[in-house]
Amino acid sequence: MNLLSYYTQLFNCRKALYLSLFLLTTCYVSAQDLKLNDLEYFDRQGVNVLVYSNNFNGGFNDEKNSGIEIIHHGVRTVQGGAVRLNNTPEQWDLVPTTTSRKVNRDTQSIEVGLRYNDYDFDSRVMVTAKGKAVEIAVFLDKPVPEALAGKAGFNIEFLPSQYWQKTYVMDGRLNRFPRYAASQTVTRPNSEKPRQFKGFKTYDDRGTNRFVDPLPMETGHEIIVATDAPERMIRISSEDSELQLFDGRMLAQNGWYVLRSVLPTGKTGKVVTWTVEPHAVPGWIREPNIGFSQVGYIPEQPKIAVIELDKQDPVKATASLWRIKTDGTKEKAFEGAVKEWGPYYKYNYVKFDFSSVHEPGVYYIQYGDTKTNDFLIDKSVYNKITDATTDIWIPIHMNHMYVNEGYRTWHGEPFKEGYLQAPPSDHFDLHAQGATTDTKYKPLELIPGLNVGGFFDAGDFDIETGSNINVVQNLVRAWELFKPQRDETFVSEQQRYVDLHRPDGTPDILQFIEHGMLNLVAQAEQIGHMASTLSNSVLDNYHHLGDAASLTDGLHYDPSLKPYEVSADGKRSGTPDDMWAFTTRNPNLDMQAAAVFSSAARALKGYNDPLAQRALKQAERLTAESAQKVNRRRFDIWQMLNRPQEEDWIHGNGFVYAIQAAFDSIPLKDEAYKQKLRPYVIKFEKYIKGFDKDNPYGVPIGLGNWAGVNMVLNFGIAINYAHLYYPDIIGKDEIYRVANWLFGCHPYHNYSFVAAVGAARSKAVFYGNNRADFSFIPGNVAPGLLFRKPDHFENFDDWPFLWGQNEGTIAGNTQYVIFGSAFKNLVNK
Ligand SMILES: [Ca+2]
Ligand SMILES: [Ca+2]
Ligand SMILES: [Ca+2]
């Protein structure tokens, strides 16, 4: 710090002190200014600036949810404000850990300490309210380490889907954000690239030993982004540093636009200063979000819209329901009082009950000037809610098969080269191979026979064994309960070919059970026990987007060949892209598999007897070998009744698991058992009703970094069973809670979380394996609402890449089949 700036600072401090005294005495507060609120973020109507309310985690966690974030007119459009080591950091690039966070109300500032352990590199970022703007300053107590000179910089990221095709001005030069990534890059030696998470590499350099580095699209000292869109406009300036604007999508489709200033080398103290002023639209009030069922309603069910309101938005007395007649004209069908539920996190909630309307027809809801899209009231509305999931989503996720639909191929036959024994290693998708293989195979030896059957996990292409066990379990349950005969899929295990919309005479559910079992039984037979996962060996193909069959080269890896070299017979290659089997033995998983093998054998009997026999044989062996070693947490309803704290009943998911397990036993037990269970069902009824006070939607709402759809589905399934067996305790009205939530009655927007047949407006983008196309696979179920601390829920429908809110999984989607089948069954009874 030089002397002049020291005196300037001193003067500013005195001035600030004098001013604050002045402000205190006159009680003058500008309503325009950003102020630190009780939840520790900077706030004015339309603008929230969060400073490390959400920290970076590293690794598997997609780091587009952390650091300095801006929620701009209700949309989280800016995040990632941090000292970073790359121009456009990818998932798996290093992230800083937060070593401290200090909120100072007197100076209206938040200071965070950031650290990179890998480089022994500390920095501090200070964010201070300055009128309508915040000042972001980076401080260094020690200079940037030599290894990071010219690489460490202060970055902030802008959500592409909210900025593309909008204009920006850099130092007076006009520009427009590109819809598609097409800026310039250079390559540099790998030795110059900061190491990535745990030393993994996100890229395949094709033997060049060089990595790709994007060049800036623009540089300057002042940028105004979205000059043509007031709700997105932000002015950012820096006198002491150059601003560089990059397109992060050059390296990864999930990249954002990045603005950064490289930290100067050899300097300490305040090294970078930005002024960031997000524009606030004068008088802006967030448009009401009218939550309702996009699938519609059956005439006799309760019909209650939940309307999410800006806390500044005065509540209107009434809302109305309009009927669109078959001649195209419309008429008011109902007008009713709006009832206040009250505040829940950021917004205020009211309800509009139009249950009294029974007449079948096409309707929309109007609240003030806000109208919803139309929806149906009709007895048939729920009949097709599982069809897209069973006819399209599930068969597309069949691994080791060619999957065709009409003129389109979804994917070719993946992983023809099979799976290698994983060596002791760490992994990037939450797995690890322990010190020993626990098998007869040597590290990197081919384990024969594993490239058969099984389902892709989710938006990625691995076989998670636990999830595949869940799939078979869910489908066997659906089969035994409802015997669905639906046949819309041709499956030939011999041809390794699946054709959608082509009946082949066999119920599809049976074929899916068979397909799941083919892989699980092969694991037990070939490995001797269950693998934890069959997954990618290298990170550079884990994030694969495209045809699963092109993820590996289909040739056996031969380390005696050079990388990218193919053997003369065309069967082997030197490219280490083969998938690995992670085989550390887990007796709990073996026992879980054994239980599923027994039940699947029941379902397969008479359809595929040899497979049923193999399953039974493995079930007996795994049980004999593992039963003594299991240490599973049991959800035992009889023990739970003795729990002293009533609170546990309301907040513990354990209760739902426990009571579901008890319901599952009912068909095998006598009337006395059913009677003994009654007090617990009465408790369950209280538990269900408890959610009416917990939140305006009456379902469990998760606050983790994976939104809570599985929890909601479990809740819904348990309610369905409770109503089926104890209709006098759990009324029929309760079964609609979860359906309403899934199909559009939830916060943030009112699109159906399920891409279901019959929904007027489903989510349009999901984190599926086709996410790079900003599309979805029909029948998918989104995790739903992602909670961002301290008070923000979101579900992007123009940006698919956040798995925590948009990724459907094979276990979750087959769970939806159970929920949907049970629900349809009850509704139509
Ligand atoms: Ca996975
Ligand atoms: Ca079939
Ligand atoms: Ca290969």
Side-chain angles (χ1 to χ4, degrees):
M1 186 185 289
N2 65 36
L3 207 60
L4 181 67
S5 70
Y6 176 77
Y7 281 116
T8 310
Q9 280 220 334
L10 198 67
F11 174 73
N12 283 341
C13 285
R14 282 168 191 273
K15 195 167 71 176
L17 194 68
Y18 173 75
L19 270 174
S20 61
L21 283 172
F22 169 78
L23 293 179
L24 275 176
T25 47
T26 59
C27 287
Y28 170 78
V29 179
S30 167
Q32 300 294 310
D33 289 349
L34 278 168
K35 280 183 287 288
L36 256 179
N37 65 12
D38 293 343
L39 296 170
E40 300 188 345
Y41 63 78
F42 299 98
D43 186 31
R44 64 187 285 216
Q45 181 68 7
V47 179
N48 310 144
V49 181
L50 280 56
V51 181
Y52 289 77
S53 295
N54 299 288
N55 290 324
F56 292 92
N57 295 295
F60 181 70
N61 293 286
D62 188 56
E63 300 303 329
K64 305 295 180 192
N65 290 322
S66 321
I68 299 170
E69 306 174 81
I70 299 177
I71 299 167
H72 208 179
H73 299 102
V75 185
R76 196 172 59 94
T77 54
V78 176
Q79 54 74 42
V83 171
R84 299 301 301 267
L85 311 182
N86 314 76
N87 287 335
T88 63
E90 295 172 64
Q91 190 175 357
W92 295 288
D93 274 321
L94 293 184
V95 290
T97 50
T98 310
T99 54
S100 64
R101 180 174 183 273
K102 294 174 206 150
V103 177
N104 189 331
R105 295 195 174 273
D106 296 336
T107 57
Q108 287 284 296
S109 65
I110 302 177
E111 182 188 302
V112 290
L114 302 178
R115 176 170 174 78
Y116 287 94
N117 276 323
D118 294 66
Y119 290 95
D120 188 21
F121 173 40
D122 289 282
S123 57
R124 288 179 288 125
V125 173
M126 170 97 85
V127 181
T128 310
K130 298 267 164 100
K132 295 176 192 171
V134 289
E135 180 192 275
I136 302 177
V138 181
F139 292 86
L140 297 179
D141 297 326
K142 283 192 277 181
V144 173
E146 206 175 319
L148 297 177
K151 298 183 180 107
F154 180 76
N155 289 24
I156 205 159
E157 307 197 351
F158 297 82
L159 179 61
S161 55
Q162 288 291 323
Y163 279 96
W164 61 40
Q165 295 175 309
K166 295 195 169 73
T167 54
Y168 67 92
V169 183
M170 178 76 93
D171 288 354
R173 294 181 298 277
L174 290 167
N175 270 294
R176 196 177 286 282
F177 284 104
R179 172 64 184 80
Y180 202 86
S183 61
Q184 285 182 276
T185 55
V186 291
T187 64
R188 301 187 201 283
N190 282 342
S191 59
E192 291 180 12
K193 186 165 173 96
R195 76 186 291 257
Q196 295 187 283
F197 181 70
K198 293 183 178 177
F200 295 123
K201 253 171 78 183
T202 51
Y203 58 102
D204 175 1
D205 67 17
R206 304 309 294 176
T208 62
N209 243 330
R210 298 178 74 83
F211 73 100
V212 175
D213 205 10
L215 292 172
M217 299 191 289
E218 256 291 11
T219 60
H221 285 273
E222 185 197 57
I223 186 170
I224 308 168
V225 296
T227 53
D228 57 345
E231 290 194 358
R232 296 288 163 265
M233 193 194 301
I234 304 178
R235 180 183 173 277
I236 299 169
S237 61
S238 177
E239 286 177 20
D240 60 13
S241 308
E242 182 183 64
L243 303 171
Q244 303 177 322
L245 180 66
F246 294 91
D247 193 335
R249 299 171 300 165
M250 297 300 288
L251 297 185
Q253 274 76 7
N254 63 355
W256 293 33
Y257 300 120
V258 179
L259 192 71
R260 86 181 313 232
S261 289
V262 175
L263 305 187
T265 53
K267 286 197 176 170
T268 56
K270 193 180 193 183
V271 292
V272 164
T273 315
W274 287 10
T275 301
V276 178
E277 185 181 334
H279 178 70
V281 174
W284 177 83
I285 298 279
R286 184 174 180 261
E287 168 129 4
N289 168 35
I290 305 175
F292 68 99
S293 167
Q294 293 282 354
V295 169
Y297 303 87
I298 61 165
E300 70 268 24
Q301 80 169 93
K303 307 173 200 73
I304 301 170
V306 179
I307 308 176
E308 181 178 65
L309 295 175
D310 197 314
K311 281 180 180 162
Q312 309 280 336
D313 195 354
V315 175
K316 292 177 175 32
T318 63
S320 51
L321 186 75
W322 290 76
R323 185 183 295 118
I324 303 172
K325 297 193 287 185
T326 47
D327 65 1
T329 62
K330 62 186 185 182
E331 63 187 6
K332 191 185 276 186
F334 176 74
E335 180 161 354
V338 162
K339 273 197 193 150
E340 275 202 78
W341 187 88
Y344 178 67
Y345 290 98
K346 189 179 274 178
Y347 300 118
N348 189 34
Y349 293 83
V350 299
K351 294 189 181 190
F352 169 52
D353 187 339
F354 54 98
S355 304
S356 61
V357 179
H358 291 141
E359 191 183 325
V362 182
Y363 294 88
Y364 67 87
I365 301 164
Q366 180 156 4
Y367 173 80
D369 295 332
T370 306
K371 295 175 189 172
T372 67
N373 58 274
D374 67 68
F375 58 90
L376 299 182
I377 295 179
D378 189 74
K379 65 177 175 16
S380 69
V381 296
Y382 297 119
N383 290 359
K384 296 172 183 166
I385 56 171
T386 59
D387 292 355
T389 308
T390 56
D391 296 0
I392 303 172
W393 200 92
I394 293 174
I396 285 171
H397 286 72
M398 291 170 87
N399 200 340
H400 307 115
M401 304 290 264
Y402 184 109
V403 179
N404 185 71
E405 180 183 19
Y407 291 8
R408 174 184 196 171
T409 292
W410 280 91
H411 58 80
E413 184 194 331
F415 315 130
K416 287 183 179 172
E417 67 266 69
Y419 296 81
L420 307 182
Q421 169 67 56
S425 54
D426 210 338
H427 197 241
F428 29 79
D429 190 15
L430 309 178
H431 292 283
Q433 177 67 49
T436 63
T437 60
D438 292 345
T439 68
K440 63 185 179 188
Y441 302 99
K442 291 194 289 291
L444 300 183
E445 186 179 344
L446 178 73
I447 302 179
L450 295 181
N451 56 331
V452 62
F455 293 89
F456 300 140
D457 178 31
D460 49 5
F461 302 94
D462 52 316
I463 291 186
E464 291 274 354
T465 301
S467 298
N468 271 262
I469 288 172
N470 287 334
V471 168
V472 174
Q473 194 172 35
N474 289 337
L475 296 175
V476 168
R477 212 158 142 206
W479 177 252
E480 294 192 330
L481 283 168
F482 310 110
K483 287 278 177 320
Q485 299 297 311
R486 194 171 174 88
D487 173 22
E488 272 300 319
T489 311
F490 171 93
V491 180
S492 168
E493 294 291 347
Q494 199 201 352
Q495 294 174 23
R496 297 199 168 217
Y497 195 95
V498 175
D499 198 12
L500 310 189
H501 317 301
R502 174 189 289 276
D504 63 359
T506 305
D508 299 337
I509 294 268
L510 267 188
Q511 290 169 312
F512 301 153
I513 293 170
E514 175 185 41
H515 194 71
M517 286 299 289
L518 281 169
N519 188 267
L520 295 172
V521 172
Q523 286 191 23
E525 290 173 344
Q526 303 293 338
I527 297 170
H529 55 269
M530 305 313 291
S532 59
T533 183
L534 309 180
S535 189
N536 307 62
S537 60
V538 284
L539 179 54
D540 69 57
N541 67 20
Y542 172 68
H543 48 57
H544 181 79
L545 292 174
D547 187 340
S550 61
L551 196 158
T552 62
D553 61 10
L555 309 175
H556 293 291
Y557 172 52
D558 180 348
S560 71
L561 297 167
K562 291 198 196 83
Y564 313 105
E565 188 184 350
V566 176
S567 63
D569 64 2
K571 289 181 176 165
R572 292 166 294 122
S573 86
T575 307
D577 65 359
D578 295 19
M579 304 282 276
W580 286 352
F582 289 76
T583 56
T584 304
R585 187 160 195 172
N586 175 353
N588 292 328
L589 192 63
D590 288 351
M591 285 306 291
Q592 210 186 330
V596 164
F597 287 3
S598 306
S599 59
R602 282 199 306 271
L604 291 171
K605 197 158 178 276
Y607 166 59
N608 186 337
D609 288 327
L611 183 60
Q613 282 305 318
R614 286 166 59 198
L616 279 179
K617 187 177 165 193
Q618 294 305 320
E620 282 167 24
R621 185 179 62 78
L622 290 174
T623 305
E625 292 176 12
S626 296
Q628 302 306 315
K629 300 174 193 155
V630 294
N631 177 27
R632 297 198 64 189
R633 188 174 165 205
R634 287 177 59 87
F635 294 106
D636 186 328
I637 194 72
W638 314 115
Q639 282 175 17
M640 289 193 87
L641 188 69
N642 301 322
R643 278 189 158 185
Q645 293 103 340
E646 191 72 14
E647 280 293 290
D648 286 355
W649 291 90
I650 299 303
H651 296 292
N653 296 319
F655 183 38
V656 174
Y657 284 105
I659 201 151
Q660 183 65 53
F663 290 152
D664 286 342
S665 301
I666 286 179
L668 313 169
K669 306 271 182 167
D670 58 8
E671 186 58 30
Y673 174 91
K674 216 178 145 188
Q675 284 304 320
K676 197 178 153 202
L677 198 57
R678 275 187 78 86
Y680 301 86
V681 183
I682 291 166
K683 280 260 186 189
F684 186 52
E685 200 261 352
K686 267 179 74 184
Y687 175 85
I688 296 167
K689 291 264 167 62
F691 288 103
D692 291 329
K693 296 195 189 84
D694 188 74
N695 66 71
Y697 298 94
V699 299
I701 297 179
L703 303 178
N705 72 344
W706 172 265
V709 81
N710 305 76
M711 185 170 71
V712 178
L713 284 170
N714 277 333
F715 180 66
I717 293 167
I719 295 175
N720 289 340
Y721 278 65
H723 170 66
L724 182 69
Y725 294 129
Y726 301 90
D728 59 319
I729 303 174
I730 311 287
K732 190 170 181 181
D733 286 359
E734 308 298 346
I735 69 169
Y736 300 102
R737 286 171 186 265
V738 167
N740 286 340
W741 169 271
L742 289 175
F743 298 140
C745 191
H746 52 66
Y748 198 73
H749 56 56
N750 60 13
Y751 311 147
S752 171
F753 286 142
V754 188
V757 178
R761 172 60 160 98
S762 302
K763 275 180 61 57
V765 305
F766 287 77
Y767 184 110
N769 58 41
N770 60 349
R771 59 191 175 276
D773 304 321
F774 287 76
S775 186
F776 65 98
I777 299 175
N780 206 356
V781 184
L785 278 188
L786 187 67
F787 181 64
R788 298 288 81 209
K789 289 176 203 161
D791 65 349
H792 185 71
F793 286 102
E794 77 183 13
N795 180 279
F796 287 138
D797 196 49
D798 58 356
W799 189 252
F801 296 106
L802 298 182
W803 53 265
Q805 48 186 275
N806 279 332
E807 183 177 24
T809 65
I810 187 72
N813 286 3
T814 49
Q815 197 188 5
Y816 171 74
V817 173
I818 301 273
F819 168 78
S821 306
F823 176 75
K824 275 192 298 191
N825 202 273
L826 291 176
V827 165
N828 292 329
K829 218 168 61 172

